[in-house]
Amino acid sequence: MSISDISNVFTFIGGLGMFLFGMENMADGMQKSAGNKMRSFLGMLTNNRLMAVALGALITAIIQSSGATTVMVVGFVSAGLLNLGQAVGVIMGANIGTTITAWIVSMSQLGDAFTVLKPGFYAPCLIGIGAMLIVFGKTQKRKTIGEILIGLGLLFMGLDLMSGSISPYTDAPIFAKAFEVLGGNPLLGMLIGALVTALLQSSSASVGILQTLAMNGIVTTNAVIYITLGQNMGSCVTALISGIGGSRTAKRAAVMHLTFNVIGAILVGTISFVFFAFRSDIAFSDISAVQISMFHTVFNLSMTALLFPFADQLVRFSGVIIKDRDGGIVVEQEETGETIHLDERIFESPTFAIETAILEVVHMGRIAGRNLEKAIHILLEGDMEEAESVYKIENTINNMEQTITNYLIKVNNLSLTEKQKKIVNNLFYSISDIARVGDHTVNVVRSVQALTDRGRAFSDMGKADLTEIGESVLKTLDYAVTARETGNMDAVRKVAQYEYDVDTEEEEMREKHINRLSANQCDSATGAIFLDVISNLKRIAEHAYAVAGYVKDEM
């Protein structure tokens, strides 16, 4: 082996590294730029499976990896955010969305009329502009655009380096023989495609490398067809690995992805084998990067259209492979049956990871609200039978605080925009405030317990006051949780309004109660407990106001 050969090997390795790093950088930047738009995707995934297919394609086009999309789907299913019927649509769409990268790569072969679209023409300029945006950009948005441009430029330059390092060997007999073997053996071609994709953890990257070989005339048409089919199956490996240790439903989502791609590979592979047996001239002809993109796109569109009506059968088949039984990774609180739907698979997309955290903070807030309702019922009716239930739910809230905090710590270490970092910080504060709501709720019940133990009760006038302030506090907390869930500024304003009412009511009640004490209309022991109760209720409203304030800060 000569120095020139060694240099070409190094150039190919460097080009491959630039290509993979560029793709990763571009995908990361695109996720950041998508920002809160991606947060609405889950809400759009209703039982409209066609919408699920479209969104699956869009998400994959943004993050440039069908594997990453299906990993997120496995996470969503495991977290209870998607059902299998919705997931199968997203998985089908992911296969369509992954074809975008193939078209980006093939732009260099669109002909001389498209010289300005060739990677070698503008890739260095993209990197230069991107670097300037990162170094001199004053806003996060500009820096994110810079990341995308640098990623795109590196991707194209990597392709050029790989192509240049391979071109001296395009006529080497060993390549012709190797792909003659691959082309004549569909199973071997699919196996090679699946292995390369599994190793790279990205079918987009794998197809890009295959197109680079095609640009240099190394691969024949039949070999490309079989390798591409294998690449589609190899893209399932990431999701299958992700499903290990997951819930039964998560495993079934991964199996659906594999089943969908295997059916497509077997069907098209069989048709191709028969066709190439009669048309060997086409089988052993050269194929361009554009033609690979066309085949990749037509194949995935066709398989989606063909199998779309059988989505329910795919769901049922996954149930046959992964039979239902108890298990899963969803954390369940035995005291109340409440669940915490947090799954680290969703870390593939920081935006979705944050959305999941928001949903759980809202979930925690709703639990705290229901517990407060029980406490106020106990306060007004003196029924201590529900007190034990309040204490158990308080344990659940404390456990949720710890679990969500640990999850947010990991989310905070992901690649986040400045706005996303602010949201994560506010979620930390929010769960602390909600936990304090739980503490004050327990204090209210303990105050009633102390009153009951002494054989005392609040007067009718006192109960009327507690009913009034209790309703205002419940509304304050309810609107605060709604504000956190929807980001609705009307809800934030409602919180401010009701929190002001609570402040006013607490001040008036304190003054009236002191007057009753002075007039000997109630005893001091009962009076002290009354003042303690309205103080705790006021503190609950203040914590709810703080939660709404974080949402306002993000707006």
Side-chain angles (χ1 to χ4, degrees):
M1 182 179 285
S2 67
I3 293 295
S4 176
D5 293 332
I6 295 173
S7 175
N8 285 332
V9 170
F10 288 170
T11 301
F12 181 84
I13 293 173
L16 178 61
M18 289 178 69
F19 173 75
L20 296 176
F21 180 75
M23 180 172 290
E24 179 75 18
N25 217 45
M26 181 177 67
D28 189 44
M30 284 182 169
Q31 287 187 48
K32 289 179 181 178
S33 65
N36 292 333
K37 297 181 185 69
M38 293 181 74
R39 290 177 54 185
S40 62
F41 285 176
L42 282 179
M44 297 171 67
L45 287 173
T46 60
N47 291 325
N48 186 338
R49 193 169 286 147
L50 194 60
M51 178 66 75
V53 172
L55 288 175
L58 180 59
I59 292 168
T60 306
I62 291 172
I63 66 177
Q64 296 289 292
S65 173
S66 61
T69 300
T70 50
V71 165
M72 286 189 290
V73 169
V74 169
F76 294 147
V77 169
S78 181
L81 302 176
L82 289 180
N83 61 44
L84 288 171
Q86 295 164 340
V88 70
V90 181
I91 289 169
M92 290 178 177
N95 280 10
I96 297 172
T98 196
T99 62
I100 295 298
T101 303
W103 282 107
I104 292 175
V105 172
S106 64
M107 282 196 299
S108 63
Q109 284 204 339
L110 291 177
D112 294 337
F114 295 88
T115 301
V116 294
L117 295 179
K118 291 186 177 182
F121 183 81
Y122 60 86
C125 183
L126 289 177
I127 294 173
I129 294 172
M132 285 188 283
L133 285 173
I134 290 176
V135 174
F136 301 111
K138 297 186 182 301
T139 64
Q140 180 63 42
K141 185 176 180 180
R142 290 183 180 178
K143 292 180 184 291
T144 301
I145 293 173
E147 284 184 36
I148 296 172
L149 292 178
I150 288 179
L152 196 58
L154 288 175
L155 185 154
F156 286 149
M157 288 192 73
L159 285 171
D160 272 359
L161 284 176
M162 284 194 291
S163 180
S165 66
I166 291 173
S167 57
Y169 309 102
T170 54
D171 297 326
I174 186 171
F175 284 111
K177 187 64 179 176
F179 285 106
E180 181 181 345
V181 172
L182 290 177
N185 191 325
L187 294 179
L188 188 57
M190 291 183 193
L191 179 63
I192 293 297
L195 285 175
V196 172
T197 304
L199 289 172
L200 295 177
Q201 295 284 289
S202 171
S203 60
S204 298
S206 180
V207 171
I209 294 170
L210 182 64
Q211 287 177 297
T212 303
L213 297 175
M215 290 176 192
N216 292 276
I218 292 178
V219 287
T220 55
T221 299
N222 53 359
V224 165
I225 298 299
Y226 300 137
I227 292 172
T228 302
L229 296 177
Q231 288 168 335
N232 265 42
M233 289 190 289
S235 67
C236 304
V237 172
T238 310
L240 289 171
I241 293 172
S242 177
I244 295 173
S247 65
R248 311 304 297 173
T249 310
K251 288 186 175 74
R252 289 174 65 181
V255 166
M256 284 193 307
H257 185 212
L258 178 63
T259 304
F260 177 79
N261 283 354
V262 167
I263 290 173
I266 291 174
L267 186 61
V268 175
T270 302
I271 294 172
S272 300
F273 183 76
V274 173
F275 176 77
F276 291 142
F278 291 97
R279 294 298 304 269
S280 58
D281 56 323
I282 295 177
F284 294 101
S285 64
D286 291 337
I287 184 170
S288 69
V290 174
Q291 288 171 324
I292 292 176
S293 298
M294 290 175 63
F295 170 74
H296 199 218
T297 303
V298 171
F299 165 69
N300 284 300
L301 284 172
S302 301
M303 285 303 99
T304 299
L306 182 66
L307 296 178
F308 185 83
F310 302 100
D312 291 333
Q313 283 74 17
L314 283 174
V315 173
R316 283 198 288 272
F317 179 74
S318 70
V320 173
I321 301 300
I322 307 294
K323 298 187 183 301
D324 289 326
R325 69 169 185 260
D326 293 336
I329 61 171
V330 177
V331 180
E332 184 166 340
Q333 307 296 342
E334 295 181 358
E335 297 90 345
T336 62
E338 302 292 348
T339 56
I340 297 176
H341 299 136
L342 298 177
D343 196 304
E344 293 182 15
R345 293 169 181 80
I346 304 175
F347 288 170
E348 287 286 342
S349 169
T351 301
F352 282 124
I354 292 172
E355 175 64 12
T356 304
I358 290 174
L359 291 176
E360 278 312 313
V361 171
V362 169
H363 186 50
M364 181 181 175
R366 296 296 182 203
I367 293 173
R370 291 198 294 271
N371 213 30
L372 178 60
E373 285 181 14
K374 287 188 176 186
I376 291 176
H377 173 75
I378 293 170
L379 176 66
L380 298 175
E381 303 299 328
D383 181 9
M384 296 306 298
E385 290 183 4
E386 288 193 65
E388 191 60 34
S389 174
V390 171
Y391 298 145
K392 285 184 177 181
I393 294 175
E394 169 61 10
N395 287 334
T396 296
I397 293 171
N398 289 336
N399 290 337
M400 292 184 77
E401 179 187 19
Q402 182 178 351
T403 305
I404 299 173
T405 296
N406 291 336
Y407 180 82
L408 286 174
I409 289 171
K410 294 174 182 177
V411 172
N412 205 36
N413 290 325
L414 301 177
S415 178
L416 305 176
T417 64
E418 289 302 318
K419 183 171 183 179
Q420 288 173 331
K421 288 178 182 177
K422 175 181 282 190
I423 292 173
V424 171
N425 285 337
N426 286 343
L427 291 177
F428 276 117
Y429 301 142
S430 295
I431 59 175
S432 178
D433 279 299
I434 293 171
R436 300 297 78 75
V437 167
D439 294 339
H440 291 297
T441 298
V442 168
N443 289 344
V444 169
V445 174
R446 285 174 178 161
S447 294
V448 179
Q449 182 72 61
L451 192 68
T452 303
D453 291 344
R454 295 177 186 180
R456 307 284 176 81
F458 295 123
S459 65
D460 291 340
M461 188 177 296
K463 286 184 178 181
D465 286 344
L466 291 173
T467 300
E468 182 182 2
I469 192 172
E471 289 177 355
S472 297
V473 172
L474 282 171
K475 288 178 180 177
T476 306
L477 181 59
D478 182 58
Y479 278 113
V481 176
T482 299
R484 178 68 278 175
E485 182 177 23
T486 63
N488 189 303
M489 286 304 296
D490 286 336
V492 173
R493 285 189 283 270
K494 288 283 189 182
V495 173
Q497 173 190 327
Y498 283 112
E499 197 273 338
Y500 175 79
D501 290 344
V502 171
D503 278 349
T504 304
E505 289 162 2
E506 193 269 347
E507 188 175 332
E508 291 175 353
M509 290 173 190
R510 185 176 294 274
E511 185 176 341
K512 286 193 297 182
H513 196 72
I514 290 173
N515 291 336
R516 287 200 296 270
L517 284 172
S518 300
N520 292 320
Q521 293 177 352
C522 65
D523 63 85
S524 59
T526 305
I529 292 174
F530 179 89
L531 294 176
D532 189 51
V533 167
I534 62 173
S535 176
N536 277 290
L537 291 174
K538 178 183 177 182
R539 294 294 302 278
I540 289 172
E542 289 172 349
H543 286 294
Y545 181 75
V547 170
Y550 306 139
V551 178
K552 181 180 179 182
D553 179 51
E554 293 162 17
M555 295 296 105

